[in-house]
Amino acid sequence: MTTETDALRDPIALSWRRAELAGLNPSSALDHLTYADVDHSGPLQAAASPVLDELNEQLEGTMFCTLLVDRDGRVAQRWCGDNGSRRAFDNLGVDVGASLLEEAVGTNALGTVLETRTSITVNGREHFAVPLRRFSCYGHPIFHPTTRRIEGVLDISALMEDASPLLPPLVARAVADIEQRLLDGSRVSDKQLLAAFQAAGARRRAVLAIGHDLLMSNQAATDLLGSTDVALLRMLATDVRDEAAIDLTLESGLAVRVEATRVGGTRGGALLHVEPHREPRPRRPVADVPVTHLPVLVSGPPGSGRSTTARRLADTQPVTVLSAASALLDGSEAWARDFGALLRAGQGTVCVDGVDLLPDDLVDLVASHVAEQRAPRLVLVCGPLEGLTGRAAALAGECTERRLLTPLASRPHEIPELVRAMLAELGADSSLHFTPGALSALSSQPWPGNLRELRAVVEHVVRRQRTGAVIVDELPEAYRTQEPSRHLAPIDRAERTVIVEALREHDGNKVRAAQALGISRTTLYAKMRALRITVY
């Protein structure tokens, strides 16, 4: 490779070296393209679409193609002036959602611009990936005029040996128009969000205004919220469609209610009011009501925090745990003897962990004590209610007080608080914290292992980093990208599973995976985009 790079221009040669360090091979760099959803409603798309519509109209019928990538290197828009270029991109799998980062596919006029933050021309032979050497292109960065953050890259490509010298001024003019529209849109959006914040800030409640690139808070909110709380509220703000309210526990331990309202006319702007819960007034005792010891049922999938919840619900001490595993290891007679001794003591709380896994005779023994409603109080732990059968289902029906725990994936808003608690339990340094980006990545995962899996991820981070901010790149690789398959219909999820297994079986080689599945490579790329397959 050294002889080949010696003949390249300096910026191209440096890019090739970075690609080599990333472990890429010129002949196979495009075999492992990854795809993810792109935000079609964000500021970049809103600003770029009118400009690109006009530009594409001018290029209609030519060999030129326009590509727009977002700041993550994902293709946000792709347009081709003729069928030949369109087919060429289709055959390569370069379409909306594809990652063109330099570290993923090597030197190109989109990923390399993101890497260097400067415009560049890449002629055909200068592309690192062999399949891209049919194209020549010019890419120009798009910066937000206010924040100076790079928002994306605009590129014009064509099937030619060398890029036309007319491309730089044409693309630069289009980028200038996009940046002006970003500025105009930002000004209008920020003004409207600011007006809403000022109107709400007249009250003495904790108020935050959260926009795409803006965060405002009054003094009451600043005094109330920590960095983890703000990260969580940012995630909540992005999910607000009209109005929403949710109860949370802040990192300080204070229970609050958050009321969020979408601010019309802004780009994703939301206004959030944070109100601490008032302490409930103590209830007056009701005379002549006998004290009972009704059982509590804690139900949920494995790893969802059932045992922790059960111990927290134990309102009388001491707390003794009898598990179904001990009945299996020590035998039913020993388990029944231990349970009977606890009943005779008549004190504290007995937690029966895995009541649905006990043999029927032991379930009947537990049920007989439930019917008597006397001390000690029982906290019963079992799997999801819909999976219970026979005597275990009947026993669960006797419990009118229940705590039904859902899978972790269905309650992503709890991730920041859970991560904070796990860091404390693991004895991590107080300065170690997960950034909003890392928390957002974790909140999008399917979490089949629930809390146990999340704890394993946190332990992984703590073993490798002692202090400071934990960014997305510090997470285990499988947790750095979004995995939205849980939103798919069952039939789509089944198809997705088959495709992922084929990709894994063939080490990510899409040609061989497509052959094994009996579909074309283009069809495979289309299905990967539709089914949001980014990690395999």
Side-chain angles (χ1 to χ4, degrees):
M1 189 72 69
T2 302
T3 304
E4 199 169 0
T5 56
D6 287 344
L8 298 173
R9 295 183 287 135
D10 284 347
I12 301 296
L14 289 173
S15 175
W16 277 48
R17 292 191 186 100
R18 289 193 296 268
E20 293 171 5
L21 291 173
L24 299 180
N25 185 294
S27 60
S28 61
L30 261 63
D31 288 348
H32 303 283
L33 281 174
T34 62
Y35 299 85
D37 285 342
V38 294
D39 183 6
H40 293 288
S41 61
L44 176 62
Q45 292 272 37
S49 291
V51 177
L52 293 183
D53 287 345
E54 182 178 348
L55 177 61
N56 294 339
E57 186 176 347
Q58 297 172 10
L59 297 175
E60 183 69 46
T62 70
M63 65 179 70
F64 293 106
C65 305
T66 60
L67 290 96
L68 175 73
V69 299
D70 59 22
R71 68 168 70 101
D72 296 321
R74 299 284 176 184
V75 178
Q77 290 191 34
R78 192 204 77 176
W79 177 90
C80 296
D82 65 353
N83 290 330
S85 299
R86 187 178 300 108
R87 283 194 298 270
F89 275 126
D90 285 342
N91 290 334
L92 295 177
V94 177
D95 204 348
V96 174
S99 173
L100 296 183
L101 289 173
E102 191 180 71
E103 64 191 48
V105 299
T107 307
N108 68 92
L110 293 152
T112 301
V113 170
L114 284 174
E115 181 71 27
T116 61
R117 296 174 63 87
T118 187
S119 58
I120 194 170
T121 297
V122 181
N123 295 311
R125 60 189 176 278
E126 294 177 327
H127 284 94
F128 182 82
V130 173
L132 290 178
R133 294 179 187 176
R134 298 174 59 198
F135 293 89
S136 290
C137 43
Y138 173 80
H140 196 99
I142 302 170
F143 292 99
H144 195 290
T146 302
T147 64
R148 297 311 299 165
R149 182 173 68 174
I150 192 166
E151 294 290 336
V153 179
L154 177 60
D155 163 275
I156 293 185
S157 299
L159 286 166
M160 56 175 55
E161 186 174 341
D162 293 301
S164 168
L166 298 178
L167 292 183
L170 180 63
V171 177
R173 185 165 60 250
V175 167
D177 292 342
I178 293 172
E179 290 179 343
Q180 183 60 49
R181 292 180 62 86
L182 279 171
L183 179 61
D184 294 341
S186 177
R187 285 171 176 168
V188 173
S189 177
D190 291 351
K191 284 181 180 178
Q192 292 174 321
L193 190 59
L194 175 60
F197 173 73
Q198 289 174 331
R203 308 173 190 175
R204 295 184 178 179
R205 301 166 64 185
V207 180
L208 298 92
I210 298 177
H212 181 71
D213 283 306
L214 186 66
L215 171 65
M216 295 178 282
S217 64
N218 62 4
Q219 189 61 50
T222 302
D223 294 340
L224 195 62
L225 304 172
S227 59
T228 302
D229 302 324
V230 174
L232 173 58
L233 294 179
R234 276 190 177 277
M235 287 189 289
L236 291 177
T238 61
D239 293 333
V240 176
R241 294 293 173 263
D242 186 12
E243 294 182 352
I246 189 170
D247 294 319
L248 297 173
T249 301
L250 302 180
E251 61 178 279
S252 63
L254 180 66
V256 299
R257 184 170 184 81
V258 179
E259 297 175 355
T261 306
R262 178 66 63 200
V263 178
T266 64
R267 295 178 179 178
L271 201 64
L272 293 88
H273 295 86
V274 184
E275 188 75 24
H277 282 304
R278 293 186 177 90
E279 291 294 331
R281 294 180 179 177
R283 296 181 179 179
R284 296 176 59 187
V286 180
D288 302 325
V289 176
V291 176
T292 61
H293 299 274
L294 296 176
V296 182
L297 181 72
V298 179
S299 171
S304 58
R306 297 178 305 185
S307 300
T308 302
T309 302
R311 289 178 175 85
R312 191 170 64 245
L313 292 173
D315 51 8
T316 54
Q317 298 293 326
V319 178
T320 307
V321 178
L322 286 178
S323 68
S326 62
L328 177 65
L329 296 174
D330 302 331
S332 293
E333 289 186 8
W335 197 95
R337 186 168 56 251
D338 292 340
F339 184 70
L342 292 170
L343 297 186
R344 288 190 295 273
Q347 300 179 27
T349 303
V350 177
C351 176
V352 181
D353 197 344
V355 66
D356 52 329
L357 303 177
L358 291 174
D360 286 347
D361 58 334
L362 295 184
V363 175
D364 291 340
L365 180 61
V366 175
S368 64
H369 179 69
V370 168
E372 294 177 359
Q373 297 186 8
R374 60 184 177 85
R377 191 186 194 194
L378 295 184
V379 178
L380 309 180
V381 178
C382 68
L385 291 180
E386 59 270 18
L388 301 185
T389 59
R391 287 178 169 84
L395 175 58
E398 296 291 324
C399 302
T400 56
E401 185 178 350
R402 299 175 179 178
R403 297 293 186 275
L404 305 182
L405 304 180
T406 57
L408 181 58
S410 67
R411 41 194 174 107
H413 60 278
E414 295 182 15
I415 296 288
E417 182 182 347
L418 289 169
V419 168
R420 179 183 58 80
M422 290 176 180
L423 287 173
E425 292 171 3
L426 293 169
D429 188 276
S430 58
S431 68
L432 184 65
H433 65 281
F434 284 60
T435 64
L439 291 172
S440 179
L442 293 180
S443 298
S444 69
Q445 302 302 320
W447 299 116
N450 290 296
L451 293 183
R452 294 173 185 169
E453 184 180 357
L454 176 61
R455 186 179 179 89
V457 171
V458 176
E459 288 178 343
H460 169 92
V461 171
V462 171
R463 284 196 299 268
R464 288 162 174 75
Q465 183 172 339
R466 307 306 301 174
T467 61
V470 178
I471 61 175
V472 173
D473 289 345
E474 302 297 336
L475 300 176
E477 185 174 356
Y479 297 86
R480 297 174 189 171
T481 55
Q482 295 190 356
E483 182 57 88
S485 64
R486 63 178 182 273
H487 301 303
L488 299 175
I491 190 170
D492 292 330
R493 194 179 300 118
E495 183 179 24
R496 188 181 192 281
T497 300
V498 172
I499 293 174
V500 169
E501 289 177 352
L503 289 166
R504 288 174 178 170
E505 182 179 352
H506 295 285
D507 297 323
N509 188 299
K510 298 178 182 61
V511 174
R512 293 200 297 270
Q515 292 172 346
L517 293 167
I519 58 178
S520 68
R521 185 180 180 186
T522 301
T523 301
L524 175 61
Y525 281 124
K527 289 184 177 293
M528 289 176 67
R529 290 195 301 274
L531 300 174
R532 304 170 185 178
I533 299 174
T534 60
V535 178
Y536 43 86

